[in-house]
């Protein structure tokens, strides 16, 4: 298959969250510092009480809740999601701790232009509780991955990764904290690459154009 450069139409970004929002915060802080040229058009949460809201509001980014529980099926939820993203003229979507698996309705609209951050070195330890999975496997290093989203769970072409050591006395909390510090560094940089049109996918493998 031919190489497919990922070239967004605009620098308008929509961020999807479900909880704490520290990765959202890292994006907004990077933009405010001048380290990331992005226009955060909307933050959408599927969780009515997500703490991420405070970060969006502090930065004046529109906050929208789409509670998945009120929809009869996944397609109806995703239609609403895509409708909101389009209404805010979003070109690139970031899943920043978004705890729903997205299907064909979403991917037809934003596939190839959606990033996810995951707290393991994919393809190891996909899915929930990645840090707990890493400790149970006894790996000596773990880390985090930013990848483009496809129809699998935590699959899709890998844009960037960061490695951290796993220590003998680590708990899920201490390992998660060490990984999270790297997530906050990795995600803004990877988003910048996508917005700059530097990410090309060939046979599932990303190359980064100069
Ligand atoms: C992060 O560890 C991220 O990798 C995972 O969910 C967590 C979200 O944390 N997908 P936060 O809401 O960004 O603080």
């Amino acid at each position: 298959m031919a190489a497919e450069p990922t070239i967004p139409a605009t620098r308008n970004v929509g961020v999807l969250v479900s909880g704490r929002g520290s990765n959202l915060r890292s994006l907004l802080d990077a933009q405010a510092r001048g380290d990331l040229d992005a226009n955060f058009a909307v933050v959408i949460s599927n969780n009515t009480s997500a703490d991420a809201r405070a970060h969006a509001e502090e930065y004046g980014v529109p906050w929208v809740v789409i509670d998945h529980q009120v929809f009869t099926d996944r397609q109806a939820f995703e239609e609403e999601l895509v409708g909101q993203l389009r209404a805010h003229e979003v070109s690139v979507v970031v899943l920043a701790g978004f705890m729903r698996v997205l299907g064909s309705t979403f991917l037809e609209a934003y596939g190839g232009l959606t990033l996810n951050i995951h707290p393991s070195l994919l393809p190891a330890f996909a899915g929930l509780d990645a840090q707990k999975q890493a400790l149970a496997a006894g790996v000596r290093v773990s880390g985090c991955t930013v990848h483009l989203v496809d129809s699998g769970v935590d699959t899709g072409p890998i844009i960037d990764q960061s490695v951290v050591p796993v220590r003998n006395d680590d708990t899920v909390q201490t390992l998660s904290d060490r990984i999270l510090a790297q997530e906050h560094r990795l995600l803004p940089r990877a988003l910048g690459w996508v917005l700059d049109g530097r990410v090309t996918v060939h046979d599932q493998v990303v190359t980064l154009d100069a």
Side-chain angles (χ1 to χ4, degrees):
M1 207 167 77
E4 296 167 22
T6 303
I7 301 177
T10 72
R11 303 186 82 88
N12 293 351
V13 177
V15 184
L16 307 190
V17 299
S18 297
R20 180 177 55 183
S22 72
N23 278 290
L24 167 68
R25 179 83 199 193
S26 78
L27 295 172
L28 297 170
D29 286 346
Q31 197 263 349
R33 280 196 311 269
D35 291 343
L36 172 63
D37 181 7
N39 171 36
F40 290 101
V42 66
V43 179
I44 301 177
S45 173
N46 68 310
N47 172 3
T48 52
S49 57
D51 289 340
R53 178 178 189 156
H55 304 304
E57 288 185 345
E58 189 180 325
Y59 276 93
V61 180
W63 170 262
V64 172
V65 172
I66 306 176
D67 180 358
H68 62 276
Q69 296 177 99
V70 307
F71 293 87
T72 48
D73 57 27
R74 189 204 272 189
Q75 187 184 339
F77 169 67
E78 290 184 14
E79 278 168 4
E80 176 65 20
L81 192 56
V82 169
Q84 284 289 342
L85 291 166
R86 289 208 167 121
H88 289 87
E89 298 180 353
V90 164
S91 293
V92 173
V93 178
V94 180
L95 310 186
F98 184 67
M99 301 303 284
R100 306 292 302 170
V101 175
L102 293 167
S104 57
T105 302
F106 175 83
L107 291 171
E108 276 161 25
Y110 284 103
L113 285 165
T114 300
L115 292 76
N116 182 44
I117 176 94
H118 183 76
S120 76
L121 296 174
L122 292 171
F125 315 133
L128 294 174
D129 299 324
Q131 302 93 335
K132 192 174 168 189
Q133 292 184 56
L135 289 178
V139 292
R140 301 326 312 171
V141 294
S142 190
C144 50
T145 302
V146 179
H147 64 94
L148 292 169
V149 172
D150 65 11
S151 57
V153 175
D154 301 322
T155 57
I158 290 171
I159 300 175
D160 202 12
Q161 296 184 300
S162 183
V163 179
V164 305
V166 178
R167 307 222 159 94
N168 287 333
D169 59 353
D170 263 336
T171 61
V172 170
Q173 187 64 53
T174 58
L175 179 58
S176 299
D177 290 348
R178 192 174 308 121
I179 292 172
L180 194 64
Q182 295 304 311
E183 294 184 37
H184 295 163
R185 196 181 59 80
L186 210 64
L187 186 58
R189 190 173 64 175
L191 174 58
W193 291 340
V194 171
L195 291 172
D196 288 343
R198 292 181 61 195
V199 169
T200 297
V201 182
H202 185 249
D203 290 339
Q204 286 289 102
V205 173
V206 166
T207 52
L208 196 61
D209 304 327

